[in-house]
Amino acid sequence: MALTEKQEALVKESWELLKQDIPRHGFRLFALILEIAPGAKDLFSFLRDTDEIPENNPKLKAHAARVFKLTCESAVQLREKGEVVVADTTLKWLGSVHLRKGVLQPHFEVVKEALLKTIGEGVGEKWSEEMKNAWGEAYDHLAAAIMGEMQVEA
Ligand code: HEM
C-alpha cells in the first residue's frame, strides 16, 4: 500500500512543527502511553525506578524522537517505493532491541494511539482526519516491519 503525495506532505508538514519541541512532545507521548497502558512503564529503563515521568531524560527524548522520525521516514518511503525500507540492519536491530526489552504486539497499538494523540495536540488547528490517517498508515507499516523482524528472531 503506497501513500499519496498529499499524505506524505501532511506527515512531513506536521513533523516539521513537532520537531521544534521534541522534549515537550516526547514527554506527552510517554504520559499518554502510560495512561493507556500503565504496565508498559517497566519496559523502559528510564521509567523503571521512578514514579514520575522524567522531564528531561535523554533516553526518553531519543525514543520519542525516533518514533516520530522513523514514522515520518516510513511515510516518505511508502510514497516513493510503496513499502517501508528502513536500512536492513536497522530494521533487524529494531526488531532485536524490542524483542530483548520484552515489547509485545499490543504495545505497538498503545504507542500508535498515544502517538496520534500527541501529534494531534501538537499541531493544533492543522490536525485533520486526513493527517491522522496518513500518520496512522505510515506507523502501521513501520510497526508491522519491526514486529516481523521480532518474529524472525524469536
Ligand atoms: C528502544 C524505536 C515502538 C519500547 C528503541 C530504540 C529505537 C526504538 C530506535 C533504540 C533506542 C536506543 O537504544 O538507542 C521505536 C520505533 C517504534 C517503537 C520506531 C514504533 C514504530 C516501541 C513500542 C514499545 C517500545 C511499541 C513498547 C511500548 C522500547 C523500549 C526500548 C526501545 C522499552 C528500550 C529503551 C530503554 O530502556 O533504553 N525503540 N520503538 N518501542 N523501545 Fe521502541
Side-chain angles (χ1 to χ4, degrees), residues 31-64:
L32 286 167
I33 291 173
L34 301 192
E35 212 176 283
I36 303 166
K41 178 178 174 291
D42 290 343
L43 293 173
F44 294 94
S45 56
F46 46 87
L47 297 177
R48 215 169 285 147
D49 305 320
T50 164
D51 287 332
E52 284 172 22
I53 302 172
E55 284 275 355
N56 230 339
N57 181 288
K59 284 193 166 180
L60 183 151
K61 278 190 281 190
H63 191 263

Side-chain angles (χ1 to χ4, degrees), residues 43-45 63 66 94 97-98 101 103 107 111 139 142:
L43 293 173
F44 294 94
S45 56
H63 191 263
R66 281 167 133 156
L94 282 171
V97 168
H98 292 93
K101 297 286 175 177
V103 176
H107 291 130
V111 169
Y139 178 89
L142 177 60

Side-chain angles (χ1 to χ4, degrees), residues 2-152:
L3 248 69
T4 63
E5 242 169 77
K6 175 88 189 290
Q7 285 179 307
E8 181 195 17
L10 285 168
V11 171
K12 276 181 159 172
E13 174 194 330
S14 37
W15 167 235
E16 287 304 317
L17 282 175
L18 294 165
K19 196 156 93 168
Q20 293 167 18
D21 198 350
I22 294 293
R24 180 162 72 93
H25 303 305
F27 183 82
R28 185 64 184 140
L29 177 67
F30 273 88
L32 286 167
I33 291 173
L34 301 192
E35 212 176 283
I36 303 166
K41 178 178 174 291
D42 290 343
L43 293 173
F44 294 94
S45 56
F46 46 87
L47 297 177
R48 215 169 285 147
D49 305 320
T50 164
D51 287 332
E52 284 172 22
I53 302 172
E55 284 275 355
N56 230 339
N57 181 288
K59 284 193 166 180
L60 183 151
K61 278 190 281 190
H63 191 263
R66 281 167 133 156
V67 174
F68 288 127
K69 184 156 188 280
L70 284 167
T71 306
C72 180
E73 284 170 9
S74 156
V76 175
Q77 292 157 358
L78 283 165
R79 210 271 301 154
E80 285 177 358
K81 308 193 178 80
E83 59 179 332
V84 177
V85 210
V86 184
D88 211 16
T89 49
T90 310
L91 212 46
K92 272 199 174 44
W93 174 71
L94 282 171
S96 82
V97 168
H98 292 93
L99 189 66
R100 203 162 4 105
K101 297 286 175 177
V103 176
L104 303 170
Q105 291 214 0
H107 291 130
F108 281 90
E109 271 307 305
V110 172
V111 169
K112 179 184 180 186
E113 196 183 326
L115 179 75
L116 294 179
K117 201 159 176 206
T118 303
I119 296 165
E121 291 175 5
V123 302
E125 283 180 359
K126 286 191 185 290
W127 190 233
S128 65
E129 197 62 24
E130 242 184 324
M131 192 182 272
K132 181 180 176 181
N133 291 338
W135 275 98
E137 268 189 47
Y139 178 89
D140 283 346
H141 281 82
L142 177 60
I146 298 173
M147 286 187 278
E149 286 299 333
M150 289 168 73
Q151 271 165 5
V152 169

